[in-house]
Amino acid sequence: SSGINAEYGDETVDCPSVANRIAYGKFMNGGQICIAADYVVVHESRAKELITCLKTSLTNFYGTDPSKSPEFCRLVSVAHFKRLKGMLEHSGGVIEHGGETEEEGKFIAPSIVSGVDFNSPLMKEEIFGPILPILTYSNLSDLLNTIKRREKPLVTYFFSTHRPSIEAVESELSSGTLSINDTITFVCIPELPFGGVGNSGQGRYHGKATFDCFTNYKGIHEDRAGGEFAKMIRYPPFVGSKWKDRFYGLALYNSDTELAALCSWKPLIKKTLLGAVLAAGAFYILTRFPTINNYLRDFGEFVR
């Protein structure tokens, strides 16, 4: 499942061009594309105009009788035809355009349905066919809150020229891909990773993302075999070891008061300088005379 993909449009949409892009993306291959939109939500002030423009776009694309158009696809099976016909008949909305069906040819005309809401039968599952419900909204913030309660889609389409609205959709909605002011064509960009999120799928592919998706990135860590004395600080026992207690106290202190209790600056500076000299000397000896490491290890056990 690709999830239920959606298209949203605000008050600023240019209805003729948006209608062309919606109709192109929705009714390609008879709507049987995983990245086709399942519904449109447009601002209530532009709904009637958008529906009118969608009718014009569909007529321009497929003629007055889509059943005779060589451009319009048929459904993949009779079972799929019956499923979609049932959804159309029980939509609970008004068929604004299309609605014609023919079982033998597995044909359902490009259909626009208005008068539905998020609780309508058409909104319960992925349509995957040439049926497009049109919903309306009045406030973008309320719409975004409603959408965030639904499953995350493979694609979200948003049409707007209002930058704050675009940024709000970008930041608040989660989907595999967000396409602004166009449909479908994003999938042709090899540099743009493509995939779902949550209910709509996992992982990404296209271009380098394909290589990353199917590659196991194995981390490799290698330490030198010698120098065990320098690592003694990480081994237990810790209780009763003043130098380990001081070291871990400084590394893991929880408050400024606790840090102040650990630090007496003048003695600490002296001890730090002395420790640095001793560490440098130990490093020099270990690198120049590796066999001495065994003696130092025994010495460390004695000191501990």
Side-chain angles (χ1 to χ4, degrees):
S1 172
S2 68
I4 301 178
N5 302 322
E7 292 173 322
Y8 308 106
D10 68 6
E11 310 95 307
T12 68
V13 296
D14 176 56
C15 286
S17 64
V18 169
N20 279 336
R21 298 176 192 190
I22 290 175
Y24 160 74
K26 171 59 180 178
F27 298 101
M28 177 189 296
N29 199 44
Q32 300 164 106
I33 304 175
C34 67
I35 56 175
D38 287 278
Y39 63 92
V40 171
V41 186
V42 64
H43 192 270
E44 58 188 9
S45 65
R46 310 303 302 278
K48 289 184 178 179
E49 182 184 359
L50 180 63
I51 290 173
T52 299
C53 290
L54 280 169
K55 293 178 182 179
T56 300
S57 296
L58 290 173
T59 301
N60 291 339
F61 290 178
Y62 306 116
T64 55
D65 186 357
S67 66
K68 297 179 180 178
S69 171
E71 309 293 340
F72 188 69
C73 296
R74 300 305 186 260
L75 300 175
V76 68
S77 68
V78 173
H80 190 42
F81 166 86
K82 291 181 177 179
R83 170 182 169 270
L84 291 176
K85 182 180 179 182
M87 294 177 73
L88 189 59
E89 291 175 344
H90 300 93
S91 67
V94 177
I95 299 176
E96 299 277 359
H97 182 84
E100 299 83 10
T101 65
E102 196 268 299
E103 181 172 342
E104 184 178 354
K106 296 174 289 189
F107 168 79
I108 293 181
S111 302
I112 300 171
V113 182
S114 67
V116 296
D117 57 31
F118 284 105
N119 296 314
S120 299
L122 277 178
M123 303 297 292
K124 299 300 183 183
E125 59 182 300
E126 183 181 1
I127 294 175
F128 208 71
I131 303 171
L132 183 62
I134 307 291
L135 292 76
T136 62
Y137 78 95
S138 58
N139 181 273
L140 183 61
S141 295
D142 293 340
L143 174 63
L144 295 181
N145 288 331
T146 299
I147 296 166
K148 285 186 285 189
R149 292 194 293 268
R150 297 173 62 83
E151 292 287 354
K152 298 175 182 179
L154 184 59
V155 190
T156 294
Y157 299 101
F158 186 58
F159 296 91
S160 175
T161 59
H162 186 235
R163 179 51 55 181
S165 296
I166 294 173
E167 292 174 353
V169 171
E170 288 177 349
S171 63
E172 295 190 37
L173 295 188
S174 177
S175 59
T177 298
L178 172 62
S179 180
I180 307 295
N181 290 325
D182 201 8
T183 62
I184 303 295
T185 52
F186 72 88
V187 81
C188 302
I189 304 172
E191 295 81 11
L192 188 65
F194 172 68
V197 55
N199 190 58
S200 59
Q202 298 293 327
R204 294 287 184 273
Y205 72 107
H206 284 187
K208 183 178 180 296
T210 305
F211 180 83
D212 293 339
C213 182
F214 294 101
T215 298
N216 172 42
Y217 287 98
K218 178 176 66 177
I220 298 176
H221 169 251
E222 181 178 346
D223 199 355
R224 63 192 182 98
E228 190 64 14
F229 176 70
K231 302 182 186 299
M232 298 302 294
I233 194 170
R234 67 184 185 182
Y235 303 142
F238 302 104
V239 177
S241 175
K242 293 183 178 180
W243 64 286
K244 287 183 181 179
D245 184 63
R246 176 59 65 91
F247 175 82
Y248 285 108
L250 289 172
L252 304 174
Y253 72 93
N254 295 313
S255 67
D256 292 339
T257 302
E258 192 173 324
L259 177 62
L262 288 166
C263 296
S264 176
W265 290 109
K266 290 183 179 180
L268 182 63
I269 292 173
K270 292 179 181 179
K271 292 177 181 179
T272 301
L273 292 175
L274 179 59
V277 172
L278 291 174
F283 179 77
Y284 174 79
I285 293 172
L286 288 172
T287 53
R288 292 296 300 272
F289 308 102
T291 57
I292 297 179
N293 183 59
N294 292 332
Y295 297 104
L296 290 175
R297 181 183 58 198
D298 293 338
F299 176 72
E301 291 289 339
F302 174 76
V303 171
R304 187 175 63 176

PDB file of all heavy atoms in Angstrom, residues 188-215:
ATOM      1  N   CYS A 188      10.783  11.179 -11.650  1.00  0.00           N
ATOM      2  CA  CYS A 188      11.726  11.060 -12.767  1.00  0.00           C
ATOM      3  C   CYS A 188      13.077  11.703 -12.458  1.00  0.00           C
ATOM      4  O   CYS A 188      13.976  11.691 -13.314  1.00  0.00           O
ATOM      5  CB  CYS A 188      11.141  11.701 -14.020  1.00  0.00           C
ATOM      6  SG  CYS A 188       9.564  11.003 -14.549  1.00  0.00           S
ATOM      7  N   ILE A 189      13.231  12.279 -11.287  1.00  0.00           N
ATOM      8  CA  ILE A 189      14.487  12.938 -10.922  1.00  0.00           C
ATOM      9  C   ILE A 189      15.384  11.934 -10.211  1.00  0.00           C
ATOM     10  O   ILE A 189      15.111  11.553  -9.063  1.00  0.00           O
ATOM     11  CB  ILE A 189      14.221  14.154 -10.010  1.00  0.00           C
ATOM     12  CG1 ILE A 189      13.246  15.123 -10.679  1.00  0.00           C
ATOM     13  CG2 ILE A 189      15.531  14.854  -9.654  1.00  0.00           C
ATOM     14  CD1 ILE A 189      12.776  16.251  -9.780  1.00  0.00           C
ATOM     15  N   PRO A 190      16.441  11.445 -10.846  1.00  0.00           N
ATOM     16  CA  PRO A 190      17.256  10.368 -10.243  1.00  0.00           C
ATOM     17  C   PRO A 190      17.966  10.789  -8.966  1.00  0.00           C
ATOM     18  O   PRO A 190      18.274   9.956  -8.128  1.00  0.00           O
ATOM     19  CB  PRO A 190      18.253  10.009 -11.348  1.00  0.00           C
ATOM     20  CG  PRO A 190      18.304  11.206 -12.239  1.00  0.00           C
ATOM     21  CD  PRO A 190      16.933  11.814 -12.184  1.00  0.00           C
ATOM     22  N   GLU A 191      18.231  12.091  -8.812  1.00  0.00           N
ATOM     23  CA  GLU A 191      18.929  12.561  -7.608  1.00  0.00           C
ATOM     24  C   GLU A 191      18.000  12.693  -6.400  1.00  0.00           C
ATOM     25  O   GLU A 191      18.464  12.941  -5.283  1.00  0.00           O
ATOM     26  CB  GLU A 191      19.592  13.920  -7.873  1.00  0.00           C
ATOM     27  CG  GLU A 191      20.713  13.888  -8.902  1.00  0.00           C
ATOM     28  CD  GLU A 191      20.218  13.921 -10.322  1.00  0.00           C
ATOM     29  OE1 GLU A 191      18.989  14.178 -10.526  1.00  0.00           O
ATOM     30  OE2 GLU A 191      21.010  13.681 -11.253  1.00  0.00           O
ATOM     31  N   LEU A 192      16.688  12.541  -6.612  1.00  0.00           N
ATOM     32  CA  LEU A 192      15.720  12.723  -5.527  1.00  0.00           C
ATOM     33  C   LEU A 192      15.325  11.357  -4.972  1.00  0.00           C
ATOM     34  O   LEU A 192      14.660  10.580  -5.647  1.00  0.00           O
ATOM     35  CB  LEU A 192      14.480  13.456  -6.048  1.00  0.00           C
ATOM     36  CG  LEU A 192      13.455  13.892  -4.999  1.00  0.00           C
ATOM     37  CD1 LEU A 192      14.058  14.928  -4.069  1.00  0.00           C
ATOM     38  CD2 LEU A 192      12.203  14.451  -5.679  1.00  0.00           C
ATOM     39  N   PRO A 193      15.728  11.033  -3.733  1.00  0.00           N
ATOM     40  CA  PRO A 193      15.368   9.732  -3.151  1.00  0.00           C
ATOM     41  C   PRO A 193      13.854   9.560  -3.091  1.00  0.00           C
ATOM     42  O   PRO A 193      13.117  10.495  -2.761  1.00  0.00           O
ATOM     43  CB  PRO A 193      15.975   9.793  -1.745  1.00  0.00           C
ATOM     44  CG  PRO A 193      17.071  10.800  -1.845  1.00  0.00           C
ATOM     45  CD  PRO A 193      16.578  11.825  -2.823  1.00  0.00           C
ATOM     46  N   PHE A 194      13.388   8.350  -3.410  1.00  0.00           N
ATOM     47  CA  PHE A 194      11.956   8.068  -3.467  1.00  0.00           C
ATOM     48  C   PHE A 194      11.628   6.878  -2.577  1.00  0.00           C
ATOM     49  O   PHE A 194      12.285   5.840  -2.635  1.00  0.00           O
ATOM     50  CB  PHE A 194      11.531   7.772  -4.901  1.00  0.00           C
ATOM     51  CG  PHE A 194      10.106   7.288  -5.014  1.00  0.00           C
ATOM     52  CD1 PHE A 194       9.054   8.140  -4.732  1.00  0.00           C
ATOM     53  CD2 PHE A 194       9.834   5.982  -5.396  1.00  0.00           C
ATOM     54  CE1 PHE A 194       7.744   7.694  -4.822  1.00  0.00           C
ATOM     55  CE2 PHE A 194       8.530   5.538  -5.497  1.00  0.00           C
ATOM     56  CZ  PHE A 194       7.479   6.390  -5.219  1.00  0.00           C
ATOM     57  N   GLY A 195      10.603   7.018  -1.750  1.00  0.00           N
ATOM     58  CA  GLY A 195      10.172   5.935  -0.876  1.00  0.00           C
ATOM     59  C   GLY A 195       9.121   6.439   0.085  1.00  0.00           C
ATOM     60  O   GLY A 195       8.763   7.620   0.085  1.00  0.00           O
ATOM     61  N   GLY A 196       8.613   5.534   0.912  1.00  0.00           N
ATOM     62  CA  GLY A 196       7.530   5.879   1.817  1.00  0.00           C
ATOM     63  C   GLY A 196       7.984   6.085   3.242  1.00  0.00           C
ATOM     64  O   GLY A 196       9.186   6.093   3.549  1.00  0.00           O
ATOM     65  N   VAL A 197       7.004   6.237   4.113  1.00  0.00           N
ATOM     66  CA  VAL A 197       7.267   6.391   5.539  1.00  0.00           C
ATOM     67  C   VAL A 197       6.075   5.792   6.292  1.00  0.00           C
ATOM     68  O   VAL A 197       4.923   6.018   5.924  1.00  0.00           O
ATOM     69  CB  VAL A 197       7.478   7.874   5.921  1.00  0.00           C
ATOM     70  CG1 VAL A 197       6.309   8.730   5.488  1.00  0.00           C
ATOM     71  CG2 VAL A 197       7.731   8.025   7.403  1.00  0.00           C
ATOM     72  N   GLY A 198       6.361   4.988   7.309  1.00  0.00           N
ATOM     73  CA  GLY A 198       5.283   4.379   8.075  1.00  0.00           C
ATOM     74  C   GLY A 198       4.447   3.442   7.234  1.00  0.00           C
ATOM     75  O   GLY A 198       4.946   2.520   6.591  1.00  0.00           O
ATOM     76  N   ASN A 199       3.136   3.699   7.179  1.00  0.00           N
ATOM     77  CA  ASN A 199       2.208   2.833   6.462  1.00  0.00           C
ATOM     78  C   ASN A 199       2.485   2.776   4.968  1.00  0.00           C
ATOM     79  O   ASN A 199       2.098   1.807   4.300  1.00  0.00           O
ATOM     80  CB  ASN A 199       0.769   3.328   6.694  1.00  0.00           C
ATOM     81  CG  ASN A 199      -0.279   2.360   6.179  1.00  0.00           C
ATOM     82  OD1 ASN A 199      -0.308   1.211   6.596  1.00  0.00           O
ATOM     83  ND2 ASN A 199      -1.132   2.818   5.291  1.00  0.00           N
ATOM     84  N   SER A 200       3.130   3.773   4.417  1.00  0.00           N
ATOM     85  CA  SER A 200       3.370   3.821   2.965  1.00  0.00           C
ATOM     86  C   SER A 200       4.694   3.193   2.555  1.00  0.00           C
ATOM     87  O   SER A 200       5.050   3.213   1.379  1.00  0.00           O
ATOM     88  CB  SER A 200       3.299   5.267   2.468  1.00  0.00           C
ATOM     89  OG  SER A 200       4.249   6.090   3.127  1.00  0.00           O
ATOM     90  N   GLY A 201       5.453   2.636   3.510  1.00  0.00           N
ATOM     91  CA  GLY A 201       6.672   1.918   3.138  1.00  0.00           C
ATOM     92  C   GLY A 201       7.897   2.421   3.873  1.00  0.00           C
ATOM     93  O   GLY A 201       7.839   3.405   4.605  1.00  0.00           O
ATOM     94  N   GLN A 202       9.003   1.727   3.653  1.00  0.00           N
ATOM     95  CA  GLN A 202      10.264   2.076   4.296  1.00  0.00           C
ATOM     96  C   GLN A 202      11.382   2.054   3.256  1.00  0.00           C
ATOM     97  O   GLN A 202      11.327   1.305   2.287  1.00  0.00           O
ATOM     98  CB  GLN A 202      10.598   1.089   5.417  1.00  0.00           C
ATOM     99  CG  GLN A 202       9.572   1.061   6.547  1.00  0.00           C
ATOM    100  CD  GLN A 202       9.534   2.345   7.343  1.00  0.00           C
ATOM    101  OE1 GLN A 202      10.564   3.004   7.514  1.00  0.00           O
ATOM    102  NE2 GLN A 202       8.369   2.712   7.843  1.00  0.00           N
ATOM    103  N   GLY A 203      12.417   2.851   3.494  1.00  0.00           N
ATOM    104  CA  GLY A 203      13.568   2.847   2.607  1.00  0.00           C
ATOM    105  C   GLY A 203      13.422   3.845   1.471  1.00  0.00           C
ATOM    106  O   GLY A 203      12.340   4.391   1.209  1.00  0.00           O
ATOM    107  N   ARG A 204      14.528   4.085   0.781  1.00  0.00           N
ATOM    108  CA  ARG A 204      14.581   5.018  -0.331  1.00  0.00           C
ATOM    109  C   ARG A 204      15.390   4.417  -1.482  1.00  0.00           C
ATOM    110  O   ARG A 204      16.338   3.669  -1.258  1.00  0.00           O
ATOM    111  CB  ARG A 204      15.257   6.344   0.084  1.00  0.00           C
ATOM    112  CG  ARG A 204      14.483   7.149   1.120  1.00  0.00           C
ATOM    113  CD  ARG A 204      13.255   7.787   0.508  1.00  0.00           C
ATOM    114  NE  ARG A 204      12.554   8.631   1.459  1.00  0.00           N
ATOM    115  CZ  ARG A 204      11.638   8.189   2.304  1.00  0.00           C
ATOM    116  NH1 ARG A 204      11.331   6.899   2.324  1.00  0.00           N
ATOM    117  NH2 ARG A 204      11.026   9.018   3.124  1.00  0.00           N
ATOM    118  N   TYR A 205      15.011   4.757  -2.713  1.00  0.00           N
ATOM    119  CA  TYR A 205      15.832   4.383  -3.849  1.00  0.00           C
ATOM    120  C   TYR A 205      15.791   5.492  -4.895  1.00  0.00           C
ATOM    121  O   TYR A 205      15.160   6.510  -4.686  1.00  0.00           O
ATOM    122  CB  TYR A 205      15.408   3.025  -4.420  1.00  0.00           C
ATOM    123  CG  TYR A 205      14.096   3.021  -5.169  1.00  0.00           C
ATOM    124  CD1 TYR A 205      14.076   2.908  -6.555  1.00  0.00           C
ATOM    125  CD2 TYR A 205      12.874   3.094  -4.497  1.00  0.00           C
ATOM    126  CE1 TYR A 205      12.885   2.868  -7.265  1.00  0.00           C
ATOM    127  CE2 TYR A 205      11.681   3.055  -5.188  1.00  0.00           C
ATOM    128  CZ  TYR A 205      11.683   2.940  -6.567  1.00  0.00           C
ATOM    129  OH  TYR A 205      10.506   2.906  -7.256  1.00  0.00           O
ATOM    130  N   HIS A 206      16.459   5.280  -5.986  1.00  0.00           N
ATOM    131  CA  HIS A 206      16.743   6.219  -7.072  1.00  0.00           C
ATOM    132  C   HIS A 206      18.163   6.766  -6.873  1.00  0.00           C
ATOM    133  O   HIS A 206      18.506   7.265  -5.793  1.00  0.00           O
ATOM    134  CB  HIS A 206      15.761   7.391  -7.143  1.00  0.00           C
ATOM    135  CG  HIS A 206      14.430   6.997  -7.730  1.00  0.00           C
ATOM    136  ND1 HIS A 206      13.447   7.907  -8.015  1.00  0.00           N
ATOM    137  CD2 HIS A 206      13.926   5.796  -8.095  1.00  0.00           C
ATOM    138  CE1 HIS A 206      12.387   7.298  -8.499  1.00  0.00           C
ATOM    139  NE2 HIS A 206      12.665   6.000  -8.562  1.00  0.00           N
ATOM    140  N   GLY A 207      18.959   6.693  -7.916  1.00  0.00           N
ATOM    141  CA  GLY A 207      20.312   7.243  -7.873  1.00  0.00           C
ATOM    142  C   GLY A 207      21.136   6.641  -6.752  1.00  0.00           C
ATOM    143  O   GLY A 207      21.085   5.444  -6.467  1.00  0.00           O
ATOM    144  N   LYS A 208      21.904   7.483  -6.073  1.00  0.00           N
ATOM    145  CA  LYS A 208      22.775   7.024  -4.991  1.00  0.00           C
ATOM    146  C   LYS A 208      21.971   6.411  -3.845  1.00  0.00           C
ATOM    147  O   LYS A 208      22.454   5.515  -3.145  1.00  0.00           O
ATOM    148  CB  LYS A 208      23.618   8.183  -4.466  1.00  0.00           C
ATOM    149  CG  LYS A 208      24.613   7.774  -3.379  1.00  0.00           C
ATOM    150  CD  LYS A 208      25.463   8.945  -2.926  1.00  0.00           C
ATOM    151  CE  LYS A 208      26.447   8.510  -1.842  1.00  0.00           C
ATOM    152  NZ  LYS A 208      25.749   8.064  -0.613  1.00  0.00           N
ATOM    153  N   ALA A 209      20.728   6.886  -3.644  1.00  0.00           N
ATOM    154  CA  ALA A 209      19.902   6.341  -2.565  1.00  0.00           C
ATOM    155  C   ALA A 209      19.662   4.847  -2.748  1.00  0.00           C
ATOM    156  O   ALA A 209      19.518   4.106  -1.772  1.00  0.00           O
ATOM    157  CB  ALA A 209      18.567   7.086  -2.503  1.00  0.00           C
ATOM    158  N   THR A 210      19.606   4.376  -4.001  1.00  0.00           N
ATOM    159  CA  THR A 210      19.453   2.944  -4.262  1.00  0.00           C
ATOM    160  C   THR A 210      20.668   2.185  -3.748  1.00  0.00           C
ATOM    161  O   THR A 210      20.548   1.145  -3.095  1.00  0.00           O
ATOM    162  CB  THR A 210      19.272   2.687  -5.767  1.00  0.00           C
ATOM    163  OG1 THR A 210      18.177   3.473  -6.248  1.00  0.00           O
ATOM    164  CG2 THR A 210      18.999   1.217  -6.041  1.00  0.00           C
ATOM    165  N   PHE A 211      21.850   2.710  -4.045  1.00  0.00           N
ATOM    166  CA  PHE A 211      23.089   2.079  -3.569  1.00  0.00           C
ATOM    167  C   PHE A 211      23.115   2.057  -2.039  1.00  0.00           C
ATOM    168  O   PHE A 211      23.442   1.029  -1.427  1.00  0.00           O
ATOM    169  CB  PHE A 211      24.291   2.856  -4.111  1.00  0.00           C
ATOM    170  CG  PHE A 211      25.615   2.303  -3.692  1.00  0.00           C
ATOM    171  CD1 PHE A 211      26.201   1.242  -4.358  1.00  0.00           C
ATOM    172  CD2 PHE A 211      26.283   2.839  -2.598  1.00  0.00           C
ATOM    173  CE1 PHE A 211      27.419   0.720  -3.954  1.00  0.00           C
ATOM    174  CE2 PHE A 211      27.499   2.334  -2.182  1.00  0.00           C
ATOM    175  CZ  PHE A 211      28.072   1.279  -2.874  1.00  0.00           C
ATOM    176  N   ASP A 212      22.752   3.174  -1.418  1.00  0.00           N
ATOM    177  CA  ASP A 212      22.746   3.242   0.044  1.00  0.00           C
ATOM    178  C   ASP A 212      21.742   2.266   0.650  1.00  0.00           C
ATOM    179  O   ASP A 212      21.998   1.640   1.677  1.00  0.00           O
ATOM    180  CB  ASP A 212      22.423   4.665   0.511  1.00  0.00           C
ATOM    181  CG  ASP A 212      23.525   5.654   0.157  1.00  0.00           C
ATOM    182  OD1 ASP A 212      24.663   5.211  -0.067  1.00  0.00           O
ATOM    183  OD2 ASP A 212      23.224   6.861   0.095  1.00  0.00           O
ATOM    184  N   CYS A 213      20.572   2.144   0.006  1.00  0.00           N
ATOM    185  CA  CYS A 213      19.513   1.295   0.534  1.00  0.00           C
ATOM    186  C   CYS A 213      19.930  -0.171   0.591  1.00  0.00           C
ATOM    187  O   CYS A 213      19.594  -0.885   1.529  1.00  0.00           O
ATOM    188  CB  CYS A 213      18.254   1.449  -0.320  1.00  0.00           C
ATOM    189  SG  CYS A 213      16.829   0.495   0.256  1.00  0.00           S
ATOM    190  N   PHE A 214      20.692  -0.606  -0.415  1.00  0.00           N
ATOM    191  CA  PHE A 214      21.054  -2.025  -0.506  1.00  0.00           C
ATOM    192  C   PHE A 214      22.499  -2.285  -0.102  1.00  0.00           C
ATOM    193  O   PHE A 214      23.066  -3.323  -0.428  1.00  0.00           O
ATOM    194  CB  PHE A 214      20.798  -2.533  -1.926  1.00  0.00           C
ATOM    195  CG  PHE A 214      19.344  -2.545  -2.291  1.00  0.00           C
ATOM    196  CD1 PHE A 214      18.797  -1.539  -3.074  1.00  0.00           C
ATOM    197  CD2 PHE A 214      18.505  -3.548  -1.820  1.00  0.00           C
ATOM    198  CE1 PHE A 214      17.447  -1.540  -3.391  1.00  0.00           C
ATOM    199  CE2 PHE A 214      17.158  -3.555  -2.140  1.00  0.00           C
ATOM    200  CZ  PHE A 214      16.630  -2.557  -2.932  1.00  0.00           C
ATOM    201  N   THR A 215      23.100  -1.341   0.603  1.00  0.00           N
ATOM    202  CA  THR A 215      24.472  -1.495   1.074  1.00  0.00           C
ATOM    203  C   THR A 215      24.486  -1.635   2.585  1.00  0.00           C
ATOM    204  O   THR A 215      23.826  -0.879   3.293  1.00  0.00           O
ATOM    205  CB  THR A 215      25.331  -0.275   0.667  1.00  0.00           C
ATOM    206  OG1 THR A 215      25.381  -0.198  -0.762  1.00  0.00           O
ATOM    207  CG2 THR A 215      26.754  -0.416   1.203  1.00  0.00           C
TER     208      THR A 215
END
